[in-house]
Amino acid sequence: MTLELLLLVAAALFCVGLFGALTQQSIVMLMMGLELMLGGVILGAAAAWHYIAPAAADGQVLIVVAVTAMALEMAIGFAVVTALFRSREVDMTDMAAELKE
Amino acid sequence: MEVTVFWLLAVLAVVGGVMVFRFDSMARATFSLLASLLCVGGLVVLLGLDYLGIVIVLMMTIEMAIMAVFMVMYMMNPAGLMPMTMMHNKKGAAVVCGLVFVLLAAGILLAPWPARRGKAPADPTMELGMSLMGPQMLTMMTLGMALFATIVATVVLATRRGRYDRLGDDLRARRPEDPVRGGVGR
């Protein structure tokens, strides 16, 4: 177990999540991709804390921020999907394109 | 032993992540994501951050349970009884993700990482608490405000009735028109 190995696992998780976020049409599935990306960030921060600066708490604080971001993303994402579905019966990104206009 | 657990969790985390986008069943996709994130929590525990690892495990378990409910609510084929794909621009995304991974891997393998400085405190949780209540107080306050703003925003977005529904088009109604009476003095 080394820093590089852990960071590679974190990078793999981030890229799998990025693939999901870029390809998925369903907003809920897109959010799953974002969760995976944040999972990669959490793992990277934990590895950096353990292998580079365990005496400082900054790595741990970054994990707290990422975990909070995960919770906020889920809550706001589901609220947006609910509002969108209620007004247009849409839960797909392609059909929600008029939001940008 | 530690190395075996690491490899087990690492492989399961990545495979679980990949399977999220391969399953037809929404329930399976959700539980695959849960397995992947539980493995991330396990790896965090393995690195000595017991408290944060357990927080991740507990939070993700609840979060994915809620996610499963929303999946069943909104997806057209929640049980996965027929094959379906909900992807667009698969090739382009695969190229972008491949390039990002290669760039990240090159950076990880080529960067001159600094040597380990200091040693882990006996109680990292205490260290985190002291940091959040001391030098990182601004971070903690920002997170608190963000959480509060999220609570307000989610209620506003999720509610069916807005203020114009309650108080009329010109917002001049003396009493809001609510389906159920309640609140102070009403």
Side-chain angles (χ1 to χ4, degrees), chain B residues 75-97:
Chain B
M75 307 301 277
M76 69 280 283
N77 180 24
L81 295 176
M82 61 186 92
M84 66 167 189
T85 176
M86 289 178 304
M87 292 182 164
H88 51 187
N89 194 21
K90 211 168 157 183
K91 274 186 190 164
V95 170
V96 170
C97 295

Side-chain angles (χ1 to χ4, degrees), chain B residues 5-179:
Chain B
V5 174
F6 161 73
W7 278 110
L8 192 72
L9 291 175
V11 170
L12 272 176
V14 178
V15 171
V18 172
M19 292 313 287
V20 171
F21 305 111
R22 290 191 61 86
F23 279 132
D24 285 330
S25 158
M26 293 305 115
R28 280 184 202 156
T30 311
F31 287 114
S32 184
L33 180 62
L34 173 59
S36 178
L37 293 173
L38 290 187
C39 290
V40 170
L43 285 168
V44 171
V45 171
L46 203 63
L47 287 168
L49 297 173
D50 301 356
Y51 170 73
L52 286 175
I54 299 298
V55 164
I56 292 168
V57 166
L58 292 176
M59 207 181 106
M60 290 308 134
T61 309
I62 304 294
E63 212 173 289
M64 291 308 128
I66 298 169
M67 176 87 90
V69 172
F70 274 83
M71 295 285 259
V72 173
M73 273 167 66
Y74 291 120
M75 307 301 277
M76 69 280 283
N77 180 24
L81 295 176
M82 61 186 92
M84 66 167 189
T85 176
M86 289 178 304
M87 292 182 164
H88 51 187
N89 194 21
K90 211 168 157 183
K91 274 186 190 164
V95 170
V96 170
C97 295
L99 277 175
V100 170
F101 183 73
V102 169
L103 273 175
L104 287 175
I108 290 164
L109 296 174
L110 299 176
W113 295 103
R116 195 177 201 214
R117 239 189 336 213
K119 59 178 190 174
D123 188 355
T125 311
M126 167 79 96
E127 195 73 13
L128 173 65
M130 295 303 282
S131 177
L132 283 175
M133 291 297 125
Q136 295 284 352
M137 177 59 95
L138 187 61
T139 313
M140 191 64 195
M141 287 170 70
T142 311
L143 291 179
M145 283 308 294
L147 283 165
F148 178 66
T150 304
I151 293 169
V152 174
T154 46
V155 171
V156 169
L157 279 169
T159 187
R160 185 186 289 275
R161 292 164 57 76
R163 57 180 173 159
Y164 292 103
D165 298 309
R166 300 178 70 233
L167 298 168
D169 290 340
D170 52 6
L171 297 176
R172 283 190 193 156
R174 232 189 277 166
R175 278 172 169 274
E177 191 195 325
D178 288 328

Side-chain angles (χ1 to χ4, degrees), chain A residues 41-56:
Chain A
V41 171
I42 286 174
L43 189 54
W49 174 82
H50 184 82
Y51 285 102
I52 296 177

Side-chain angles (χ1 to χ4, degrees), chain A residues 45-65:
Chain A
W49 174 82
H50 184 82
Y51 285 102
I52 296 177
D58 299 358
Q60 291 197 71
V61 173
L62 181 57
I63 296 175
V64 172
V65 171

